[in-house]
Coordinates of all heavy atoms in Angstrom, one line a residue:
M273 N -0.8 -17.1 -58.8 CA 0.0 -17.6 -57.8 C 1.1 -16.8 -57.4 O 1.8 -16.2 -58.2 CB 0.5 -18.9 -58.5 CG 1.3 -19.8 -57.6 SD 1.8 -21.3 -58.3 CE 0.4 -21.8 -59.2
K274 N 1.2 -16.6 -56.1 CA 2.4 -15.7 -55.5 C 3.6 -16.5 -55.0 O 3.5 -17.8 -54.8 CB 1.8 -14.9 -54.4 CG 0.9 -13.7 -54.8 CD 0.9 -12.7 -53.8 CE 0.2 -11.5 -54.3 NZ 0.0 -10.5 -53.4
F275 N 4.7 -16.0 -55.0 CA 5.9 -16.6 -54.5 C 6.6 -15.8 -53.4 O 6.2 -14.6 -53.2 CB 6.8 -16.8 -55.7 CG 6.4 -17.6 -56.8 CD1 5.4 -17.4 -57.7 CD2 6.9 -19.0 -56.8 CE1 5.0 -18.3 -58.6 CE2 6.5 -19.9 -57.7 CZ 5.6 -19.6 -58.7
K276 N 7.6 -16.4 -53.0 CA 8.5 -15.6 -51.9 C 9.9 -16.0 -52.3 O 10.2 -17.1 -52.8 CB 8.1 -15.9 -50.6 CG 8.3 -17.3 -50.0 CD 8.0 -17.3 -48.6 CE 8.4 -18.8 -48.1 NZ 8.0 -19.0 -46.7
A277 N 10.9 -15.2 -52.1 CA 12.4 -15.5 -52.3 C 13.1 -14.5 -51.6 O 12.5 -13.4 -51.1 CB 12.6 -15.5 -53.8
K278 N 14.3 -14.8 -51.3 CA 15.3 -13.7 -50.8 C 16.0 -12.9 -51.8 O 16.3 -13.5 -52.9 CB 16.3 -14.4 -50.0 CG 15.6 -15.1 -48.6 CD 16.8 -15.8 -47.9 CE 16.0 -16.3 -46.6 NZ 17.0 -16.9 -45.6
P279 N 16.1 -11.8 -51.5 CA 16.8 -10.7 -52.6 C 18.2 -11.3 -52.8 O 18.7 -11.9 -51.9 CB 16.7 -9.4 -51.9 CG 15.7 -9.5 -50.8 CD 15.6 -10.9 -50.4
I280 N 18.8 -10.9 -53.9 CA 20.1 -11.2 -54.1 C 21.0 -10.5 -53.2 O 20.6 -9.5 -52.6 CB 20.6 -11.0 -55.6 CG1 20.4 -9.5 -55.9 CG2 19.9 -11.8 -56.6 CD1 21.0 -9.1 -57.3
E281 N 22.3 -11.0 -52.9 CA 23.0 -10.4 -51.9 C 23.3 -8.9 -52.2 O 23.7 -8.2 -51.1 CB 24.4 -11.2 -51.8 CG 24.2 -12.6 -51.0 CD 25.5 -13.3 -51.0 OE1 26.6 -12.6 -50.9 OE2 25.4 -14.5 -50.9
E282 N 23.4 -8.5 -53.3 CA 23.8 -7.1 -53.6 C 22.7 -6.1 -53.2 O 22.9 -4.9 -53.2 CB 23.9 -7.0 -55.1 CG 25.2 -7.7 -55.7 CD 25.1 -9.2 -55.9 OE1 23.9 -9.6 -56.0 OE2 26.1 -9.8 -56.1
I283 N 21.4 -6.6 -52.9 CA 20.3 -5.7 -52.6 C 20.5 -5.4 -51.1 O 20.6 -6.3 -50.1 CB 19.0 -6.3 -52.8 CG1 18.8 -6.7 -54.3 CG2 17.9 -5.4 -52.3 CD1 18.9 -5.5 -55.1
L284 N 20.8 -4.1 -50.7 CA 20.9 -3.8 -49.3 C 19.7 -3.7 -48.5 O 18.6 -3.5 -49.1 CB 21.7 -2.4 -49.3 CG 22.9 -2.3 -50.1 CD1 23.4 -0.8 -50.1 CD2 24.0 -3.2 -49.4
T285 N 19.8 -3.9 -47.3 CA 18.5 -4.0 -46.4 C 18.0 -2.6 -46.4 O 16.5 -2.4 -46.6 CB 19.1 -4.1 -44.9 OG1 19.7 -5.5 -44.9 CG2 17.8 -4.2 -44.0
E286 N 18.7 -1.5 -46.6 CA 18.1 -0.1 -46.6 C 17.4 0.1 -47.9 O 16.3 0.9 -48.0 CB 19.1 1.0 -46.3 CG 20.2 1.1 -47.2 CD 21.5 0.6 -46.6 OE1 21.4 0.0 -45.6 OE2 22.6 0.7 -47.2
D287 N 17.9 -0.5 -48.9 CA 17.1 -0.5 -50.2 C 15.7 -1.0 -50.1 O 14.8 -0.5 -50.6 CB 17.8 -1.1 -51.4 CG 19.0 -0.3 -51.8 OD1 19.2 0.9 -51.5 OD2 20.0 -1.0 -52.3
L288 N 15.6 -2.0 -49.5 CA 14.3 -2.7 -49.2 C 13.4 -2.1 -48.4 O 12.2 -2.0 -48.5 CB 14.4 -4.3 -48.6 CG 15.0 -5.2 -49.5 CD1 15.2 -6.5 -48.9 CD2 14.1 -5.5 -50.8
E289 N 13.9 -1.2 -47.5 CA 13.3 -0.4 -46.6 C 12.4 0.7 -47.3 O 11.3 1.2 -47.0 CB 14.0 0.2 -45.5 CG 14.5 -0.8 -44.4 CD 15.5 -0.2 -43.5 OE1 15.8 1.1 -43.5 OE2 16.1 -0.9 -42.6
Y290 N 13.0 1.2 -48.4 CA 12.3 2.2 -49.3 C 11.5 1.6 -50.3 O 10.9 2.4 -51.0 CB 13.4 3.1 -49.8 CG 14.2 3.9 -48.9 CD1 15.7 3.6 -48.4 CD2 13.6 4.9 -48.1 CE1 16.2 4.3 -47.5 CE2 14.2 5.6 -47.1 CZ 15.7 5.4 -46.9 OH 16.2 6.0 -45.9
S291 N 11.5 0.4 -50.4 CA 10.6 -0.2 -51.4 C 9.3 -0.5 -50.8 O 9.1 -0.4 -49.6 CB 11.1 -1.6 -52.0 OG 11.1 -2.6 -51.0
E292 N 8.4 -1.0 -51.7 CA 7.0 -1.4 -51.1 C 6.8 -2.8 -50.7 O 5.9 -3.2 -50.3 CB 6.0 -1.0 -52.2 CG 5.8 0.4 -52.8 CD 5.3 1.2 -51.5 OE1 4.5 0.8 -50.7 OE2 5.8 2.3 -51.4
F293 N 7.9 -3.5 -50.8 CA 8.1 -4.9 -50.3 C 8.0 -5.0 -48.7 O 8.7 -4.4 -48.1 CB 9.2 -5.7 -50.8 CG 9.2 -6.1 -52.3 CD1 10.1 -5.5 -53.2 CD2 8.3 -6.9 -52.8 CE1 10.1 -5.7 -54.5 CE2 8.3 -7.2 -54.1 CZ 9.1 -6.7 -55.0
D294 N 7.1 -6.0 -48.4 CA 7.4 -6.4 -46.9 C 8.3 -7.5 -46.8 O 8.2 -8.5 -47.6 CB 6.0 -6.8 -46.5 CG 4.9 -5.8 -46.4 OD1 5.3 -4.7 -45.9 OD2 3.8 -6.1 -46.6
V295 N 9.2 -7.4 -45.9 CA 10.2 -8.4 -45.7 C 9.8 -9.3 -44.5 O 9.5 -8.7 -43.4 CB 11.6 -7.9 -45.5 CG1 12.7 -9.1 -45.3 CG2 12.0 -7.0 -46.7
D296 N 9.6 -10.6 -44.7 CA 9.1 -11.4 -43.4 C 10.2 -11.6 -42.5 O 11.4 -11.2 -42.7 CB 8.4 -12.7 -43.8 CG 9.3 -13.7 -44.6 OD1 10.4 -13.6 -44.5 OD2 8.8 -14.5 -45.3
A297 N 10.1 -12.3 -41.4 CA 11.1 -12.7 -40.3 C 12.2 -13.4 -40.9 O 13.3 -13.3 -40.3 CB 10.3 -13.3 -39.2
E298 N 12.1 -14.2 -42.0 CA 13.0 -15.0 -42.5 C 13.9 -14.2 -43.5 O 14.8 -14.9 -44.2 CB 12.6 -16.3 -43.0 CG 11.8 -17.2 -41.9 CD 11.2 -18.4 -42.6 OE1 10.5 -18.3 -43.5 OE2 11.4 -19.5 -42.0
G299 N 13.4 -13.1 -44.0 CA 14.0 -12.3 -44.9 C 13.6 -12.4 -46.4 O 14.2 -12.1 -47.4
Y300 N 12.4 -13.1 -46.5 CA 11.9 -13.3 -47.8 C 10.9 -12.1 -48.2 O 10.3 -11.5 -47.4 CB 10.9 -14.5 -47.7 CG 11.6 -15.8 -47.8 CD1 12.1 -16.4 -46.6 CD2 11.9 -16.5 -49.0 CE1 12.7 -17.6 -46.7 CE2 12.5 -17.6 -49.0 CZ 13.1 -18.3 -47.9 OH 13.6 -19.5 -47.9
I301 N 10.9 -11.7 -49.5 CA 9.9 -10.8 -50.0 C 8.8 -11.6 -50.8 O 9.2 -12.7 -51.2 CB 10.6 -9.7 -50.9 CG1 11.4 -10.4 -52.1 CG2 11.6 -8.8 -50.1 CD1 12.0 -9.4 -53.0
H302 N 7.7 -11.0 -50.8 CA 6.4 -11.7 -51.4 C 6.0 -11.0 -52.5 O 6.0 -9.7 -52.7 CB 5.4 -12.0 -50.5 CG 5.8 -12.8 -49.2 ND1 5.3 -13.9 -49.0 CD2 6.9 -12.7 -48.3 CE1 5.7 -14.5 -47.9 NE2 6.7 -13.7 -47.4
G303 N 5.5 -11.8 -53.6 CA 5.0 -11.1 -54.9 C 5.0 -12.2 -55.9 O 4.9 -13.4 -55.7
W304 N 4.8 -11.6 -57.1 CA 4.7 -12.6 -58.2 C 6.2 -12.7 -58.8 O 7.1 -11.8 -58.8 CB 3.9 -11.9 -59.4 CG 2.4 -11.9 -58.9 CD1 1.5 -12.9 -59.2 CD2 1.7 -10.9 -58.3 NE1 0.2 -12.5 -58.6 CE2 0.3 -11.3 -58.2 CE3 2.0 -9.6 -57.8 CZ2 -0.6 -10.4 -57.5 CZ3 1.1 -8.8 -57.2 CH2 -0.2 -9.3 -57.1
Y305 N 6.4 -13.9 -59.3 CA 7.8 -14.2 -59.9 C 7.6 -13.9 -61.5 O 6.9 -14.5 -62.2 CB 8.1 -15.6 -59.7 CG 9.5 -16.0 -60.3 CD1 10.7 -15.4 -59.8 CD2 9.5 -16.8 -61.5 CE1 11.8 -15.7 -60.5 CE2 10.6 -17.1 -62.1 CZ 11.8 -16.6 -61.6 OH 12.9 -16.9 -62.3
V306 N 8.7 -13.2 -62.0 CA 8.8 -13.0 -63.4 C 10.4 -12.9 -63.8 O 11.1 -12.0 -63.2 CB 8.2 -11.7 -63.7 CG1 8.4 -11.3 -65.3 CG2 6.7 -11.6 -63.5
D307 N 10.9 -14.0 -64.5 CA 12.2 -14.0 -65.0 C 13.3 -13.5 -64.1 O 14.1 -12.7 -64.4 CB 12.3 -13.0 -66.3 CG 11.5 -13.6 -67.4 OD1 11.2 -14.9 -67.4 OD2 11.0 -12.9 -68.2
G308 N 13.3 -14.0 -62.9 CA 14.5 -13.8 -61.8 C 14.1 -12.6 -61.0 O 15.0 -12.3 -60.1
Y309 N 13.0 -12.2 -61.0 CA 12.5 -11.0 -60.1 C 11.2 -11.4 -59.4 O 10.4 -12.1 -59.8 CB 12.2 -9.7 -60.9 CG 13.4 -9.1 -61.6 CD1 14.0 -9.7 -62.8 CD2 14.0 -8.1 -61.0 CE1 15.1 -9.1 -63.3 CE2 15.2 -7.6 -61.6 CZ 15.7 -8.0 -62.8 OH 16.8 -7.4 -63.2
I310 N 11.0 -10.8 -58.1 CA 9.9 -10.9 -57.5 C 9.3 -9.4 -57.8 O 10.0 -8.5 -57.6 CB 9.9 -11.0 -56.0 CG1 10.3 -12.5 -55.7 CG2 8.5 -10.7 -55.3 CD1 9.3 -13.5 -55.9
V311 N 8.0 -9.3 -58.2 CA 7.5 -8.0 -58.6 C 6.2 -7.8 -57.9 O 5.5 -8.7 -57.5 CB 7.2 -7.9 -60.2 CG1 8.5 -8.2 -61.0 CG2 6.2 -8.8 -60.7
G312 N 5.9 -6.5 -57.7 CA 4.6 -6.0 -57.1 C 3.4 -5.8 -58.2 O 3.6 -6.2 -59.3
A313 N 2.6 -5.1 -57.7 CA 1.4 -4.8 -58.6 C 1.7 -4.0 -59.8 O 2.6 -3.2 -59.9 CB 0.3 -4.0 -57.7
V314 N 0.9 -4.2 -60.9 CA 1.0 -3.4 -62.1 C 0.2 -2.1 -61.8 O -0.9 -1.9 -61.2 CB 0.1 -4.1 -63.2 CG1 0.1 -3.2 -64.5 CG2 0.9 -5.4 -63.4
L315 N 1.0 -1.0 -62.1 CA 0.5 0.4 -61.9 C -0.3 0.8 -63.1 O -1.3 1.5 -63.1 CB 1.6 1.3 -61.5 CG 2.2 1.1 -60.2 CD1 3.5 2.1 -59.9 CD2 1.3 1.2 -58.9
E316 N 0.3 0.6 -64.3 CA -0.2 1.0 -65.5 C 0.4 0.1 -66.6 O 1.6 -0.4 -66.6 CB 0.3 2.5 -65.8 CG -0.3 3.1 -66.9 CD 0.0 4.6 -67.1 OE1 0.7 5.1 -66.3 OE2 -0.1 5.1 -68.2
A317 N -0.5 -0.2 -67.7 CA 0.0 -1.0 -68.7 C -0.7 -0.6 -70.0 O -1.8 -0.2 -69.9 CB -0.2 -2.5 -68.4
N318 N 0.0 -0.7 -71.2 CA -0.7 -0.4 -72.4 C 0.1 -1.3 -73.3 O 0.9 -2.2 -73.0 CB -0.8 1.1 -72.8 CG 0.6 1.6 -72.9 OD1 1.6 1.0 -73.5 ND2 0.7 2.9 -72.5
S319 N -0.1 -1.1 -74.8 CA 0.5 -1.9 -75.7 C 1.9 -1.8 -75.9 O 2.6 -2.5 -76.5 CB -0.2 -1.8 -77.0 OG -0.2 -0.5 -77.4
E320 N 2.5 -0.7 -75.3 CA 3.9 -0.3 -75.4 C 4.8 -0.5 -74.2 O 5.9 -0.9 -74.2 CB 3.9 1.1 -75.8 CG 3.5 1.5 -77.2 CD 3.4 3.0 -77.5 OE1 4.2 3.7 -76.9 OE2 2.9 3.3 -78.4
Y321 N 4.2 -0.6 -73.0 CA 5.0 -0.8 -71.8 C 4.1 -1.1 -70.6 O 2.8 -1.1 -70.7 CB 5.8 0.5 -71.4 CG 4.9 1.7 -70.9 CD1 4.7 1.8 -69.5 CD2 4.3 2.6 -71.7 CE1 3.8 2.8 -69.0 CE2 3.4 3.6 -71.2 CZ 3.3 3.7 -69.9 OH 2.5 4.6 -69.3
I322 N 4.8 -1.6 -69.6 CA 4.1 -1.9 -68.3 C 5.0 -1.2 -67.2 O 6.1 -1.2 -67.1 CB 4.0 -3.4 -68.0 CG1 3.2 -3.8 -66.8 CG2 5.4 -4.1 -68.0 CD1 2.7 -5.2 -66.7
S323 N 4.3 -0.7 -66.2 CA 4.8 -0.1 -65.1 C 4.5 -0.8 -63.8 O 3.3 -0.9 -63.5 CB 4.3 1.4 -65.0 OG 4.9 2.1 -63.8
L324 N 5.5 -1.2 -63.1 CA 5.2 -2.2 -61.9 C 5.5 -1.3 -60.6 O 6.3 -0.4 -60.6 CB 6.3 -3.3 -61.9 CG 6.0 -4.2 -63.1 CD1 7.3 -5.3 -63.1 CD2 4.7 -5.0 -63.0
E325 N 4.7 -1.5 -59.7 CA 4.9 -0.9 -58.3 C 6.3 -1.1 -57.9 O 7.0 -0.1 -57.3 CB 3.9 -1.5 -57.4 CG 3.9 -0.9 -56.0 CD 2.9 -1.5 -55.1 OE1 2.8 -2.8 -55.0 OE2 2.0 -0.8 -54.5
N326 N 6.9 -2.2 -58.0 CA 8.2 -2.5 -57.5 C 8.8 -3.9 -58.1 O 7.9 -4.7 -58.5 CB 8.3 -2.5 -55.9 CG 7.3 -3.4 -55.3 OD1 6.5 -4.3 -55.9 ND2 7.0 -3.1 -54.0
W327 N 9.9 -4.1 -58.0 CA 10.6 -5.3 -58.4 C 12.0 -5.4 -57.8 O 12.7 -4.5 -57.3 CB 10.9 -5.3 -60.1 CG 11.8 -4.2 -60.6 CD1 13.1 -4.3 -60.7 CD2 11.4 -2.9 -60.8 NE1 13.5 -3.1 -61.1 CE2 12.5 -2.2 -61.4 CE3 10.2 -2.1 -60.9 CZ2 12.5 -0.9 -61.7 CZ3 10.3 -0.9 -61.2 CH2 11.3 -0.2 -61.6
C328 N 12.4 -6.6 -57.7 CA 13.6 -7.0 -56.9 C 14.2 -8.3 -57.5 O 13.4 -9.2 -57.5 CB 13.4 -7.0 -55.5 SG 15.0 -7.3 -54.4
P329 N 15.5 -8.3 -57.8 CA 16.0 -9.6 -58.3 C 16.3 -10.5 -57.1 O 16.6 -10.0 -56.0 CB 17.4 -9.1 -58.9 CG 17.8 -7.7 -58.3 CD 16.4 -7.1 -57.9
V330 N 16.0 -11.6 -57.3 CA 16.1 -12.7 -56.2 C 17.1 -13.8 -56.4 O 17.6 -14.1 -57.6 CB 14.7 -13.2 -55.9 CG1 13.7 -12.1 -55.4 CG2 14.1 -13.9 -57.1
D331 N 17.4 -14.4 -55.3 CA 18.3 -15.6 -55.3 C 17.4 -16.8 -55.7 O 16.5 -17.2 -54.9 CB 18.9 -15.8 -53.9 CG 19.8 -17.0 -53.7 OD1 19.8 -17.8 -54.7 OD2 20.4 -17.2 -52.7
M332 N 17.7 -17.4 -56.9 CA 16.8 -18.4 -57.4 C 16.8 -19.7 -56.4 O 15.9 -20.4 -56.5 CB 17.3 -18.9 -58.8 CG 17.0 -17.7 -59.7 SD 15.3 -17.1 -59.9 CE 14.6 -18.6 -60.6
D333 N 17.8 -19.8 -55.6 CA 17.8 -21.0 -54.7 C 16.8 -21.0 -53.7 O 16.6 -21.9 -52.9 CB 19.2 -21.2 -54.2 CG 20.3 -21.7 -55.3 OD1 19.8 -22.3 -56.2 OD2 21.5 -21.3 -55.1
T334 N 16.3 -19.7 -53.4 CA 15.4 -19.4 -52.2 C 13.9 -19.2 -52.8 O 13.1 -19.1 -51.9 CB 15.8 -18.2 -51.5 OG1 15.6 -17.0 -52.3 CG2 17.2 -18.2 -51.0
L335 N 13.7 -19.4 -54.1 CA 12.3 -19.2 -54.6 C 11.4 -20.3 -54.2 O 11.8 -21.5 -54.3 CB 12.4 -19.1 -56.2 CG 11.1 -18.9 -56.9 CD1 10.6 -17.5 -56.6 CD2 11.3 -19.0 -58.3
K336 N 10.2 -20.0 -53.6 CA 9.2 -20.8 -53.2 C 7.8 -20.4 -53.5 O 7.7 -19.2 -53.4 CB 9.3 -21.0 -51.6 CG 10.7 -21.6 -51.1 CD 10.6 -21.6 -49.7 CE 12.1 -22.2 -49.3 NZ 12.0 -22.4 -47.7
E337 N 7.1 -21.2 -53.7 CA 5.6 -20.9 -54.0 C 5.0 -20.7 -52.6 O 5.2 -21.3 -51.5 CB 4.9 -22.1 -54.7 CG 3.4 -21.8 -55.0 CD 2.8 -22.8 -55.8 OE1 3.5 -23.6 -56.5 OE2 1.5 -23.1 -55.7
V338 N 4.1 -19.6 -52.5 CA 3.5 -19.3 -51.2 C 2.2 -20.1 -51.0 O 1.5 -20.2 -52.0 CB 3.2 -17.8 -51.2 CG1 2.4 -17.4 -50.0 CG2 4.4 -17.0 -51.3
E339 N 2.0 -20.6 -49.9 CA 0.8 -21.5 -49.6 C -0.3 -20.4 -49.7 O -0.3 -19.2 -49.2 CB 0.8 -22.1 -48.3 CG 2.1 -23.1 -48.2 CD 1.7 -24.4 -49.0 OE1 0.6 -24.8 -49.2 OE2 2.7 -24.9 -49.6
K340 N -1.5 -20.9 -49.9 CA -2.8 -20.0 -50.0 C -3.1 -19.3 -48.6 O -3.5 -18.3 -48.6 CB -3.8 -20.8 -50.5 CG -3.8 -21.2 -51.9 CD -5.0 -21.6 -52.5 CE -4.9 -22.1 -53.9 NZ -5.4 -21.1 -54.9
N341 N -2.8 -20.0 -47.6 CA -3.0 -19.4 -46.2 C -1.9 -18.5 -45.6 O -2.0 -18.4 -44.5 CB -3.6 -20.5 -45.3 CG -2.7 -21.7 -45.1 OD1 -1.6 -21.7 -45.7 ND2 -3.1 -22.6 -44.3
E342 N -0.7 -18.5 -46.4 CA 0.3 -17.7 -45.8 C 0.1 -16.1 -45.9 O -0.5 -15.8 -46.7 CB 1.6 -18.0 -46.5 CG 2.6 -19.1 -45.9 CD 3.8 -19.3 -46.4 OE1 4.7 -18.4 -46.4 OE2 4.1 -20.3 -47.0

């Protein structure tokens, strides 16, 4: 299940430009939700660590579940 949320205010627009996140017209980023972050795909994982494509702390008041056809 995917989610969308707006980044916390401390995240600058240019920081998002260099990330792999797509920012929609309303300023939401899309991905999986994990403990206060929207995260991207898993690049590598083993029994000791996990490496994610990207992650961004989000404003919890903006967190929404993404509809299947969005």
Side-chain angles (χ1 to χ4, degrees):
M273 179 174 322
K274 287 203 174 181
F275 289 84
K276 67 180 183 178
K278 292 185 178 181
I280 60 172
E281 289 184 22
E282 292 82 9
I283 302 298
L284 303 174
T285 303
E286 59 255 12
D287 291 337
L288 286 175
E289 290 173 4
Y290 293 109
S291 75
E292 296 294 323
F293 284 114
D294 290 326
V295 181
D296 68 18
E298 297 175 317
Y300 285 87
I301 56 174
H302 296 243
W304 291 275
Y305 174 74
V306 180
D307 293 332
Y309 292 82
I310 293 290
V311 302
V314 173
L315 296 176
E316 185 177 350
N318 62 38
S319 62
E320 296 178 14
Y321 73 92
I322 186 168
S323 177
L324 300 171
E325 180 179 53
N326 47 22
W327 62 91
C328 182
V330 295
D331 178 351
M332 295 301 297
D333 294 333
T334 66
L335 184 65
K336 299 177 182 183
E337 187 177 332
V338 174
E339 298 291 325
K340 291 190 185 261
N341 57 357
E342 263 189 68

